[in-house]
Amino acid sequence: MAKVELKQPVVDEIKELLDGAETAVVVDYRGLTVAQDTELRKKLREAGVGYKVYKNTMIRFAAKGTAFEALEPNLEGPTALAVSKTDATAPARILAEFAKTAPALEIKGGVVEGVYYGEKGMAQISSIPSREVLLGKLLGSIQSPITNFARVLKQIAEAQGGESADA
């Protein structure tokens, strides 16, 4: 069996992972302990983010012709790929948060919704709250004026009700 035939399933696996993905982030995981790596994988898995170590050449072959081809300059040294198909900011947010406790983890760059971002760009993207948090803030800002308006109406009704009862 030729080497290409052995590597093709891995390339196909990466292509499938990247197909329809919102975000792909490339990290250097050198220096992480087994316990730290296990904890990181658990957090990513809970957020629905795929995370796996691949050979750089395999990622290059799989990304060729896609928006993720922009990751090419970051594909040097040990590389792990974090991919999300649902939440565009989840991989960057989780990896950056984890890197605070494990400084050995280094975000090299990533592609978010078809746009390439370097290390600094990914740091900014990691500061964007999750979709659920943003929706909660929006709902709170919509709900607050309505609640205040209802309180004012209730106070007016109570004040008018109190006057008519005295008369």
Side-chain angles (χ1 to χ4, degrees):
M1 198 178 244
K3 287 184 180 181
V4 174
E5 292 172 356
L6 293 172
K7 295 177 181 178
Q8 191 58 44
V10 176
V11 172
D12 291 340
E13 177 186 333
I14 300 169
K15 279 183 181 179
E16 186 179 321
L17 186 65
L18 293 176
D19 185 41
E22 295 269 327
T23 304
V25 180
V26 179
V27 296
D28 183 348
Y29 59 90
R30 274 185 289 201
L32 289 182
T33 65
V34 173
Q36 288 173 326
D37 189 52
T38 303
E39 183 183 343
L40 175 61
R41 288 174 187 268
K42 181 179 181 254
K43 287 181 180 184
L44 289 167
R45 191 173 36 252
E46 287 170 354
V49 177
Y51 177 82
K52 194 166 180 183
V53 175
Y54 291 107
K55 289 186 178 262
N56 294 328
T57 53
M58 301 296 164
I59 297 172
R60 279 189 193 99
F61 284 130
K64 193 161 284 296
T66 69
F68 301 105
E69 194 170 13
L71 294 171
E72 173 98 26
N74 301 117
L75 298 176
E76 293 179 8
T79 302
L81 188 64
V83 179
S84 176
K85 295 189 180 203
T86 54
D87 187 348
T89 61
R93 193 175 55 253
I94 294 167
L95 291 166
E97 186 67 32
F98 191 80
K100 291 176 184 175
T101 59
L105 185 71
E106 177 189 332
I107 298 175
K108 297 180 183 181
V111 174
V112 180
E113 295 181 343
V115 180
Y116 172 78
Y117 295 94
E119 186 179 343
K120 291 180 182 174
M122 292 309 294
Q124 288 192 332
I125 288 174
S126 69
S127 67
I128 298 172
S130 69
R131 184 173 192 265
E132 289 77 23
V133 171
L134 290 173
L135 287 173
K137 286 181 178 181
L138 176 65
L139 182 62
S141 65
I142 291 171
Q143 190 176 13
S144 179
I146 295 170
T147 304
N148 291 340
F149 181 67
R151 283 189 192 123
V152 169
L153 287 177
K154 183 178 177 191
Q155 289 173 350
I156 291 171
E158 288 173 355
Q160 287 178 348
E163 290 175 9
S164 62
D166 293 338

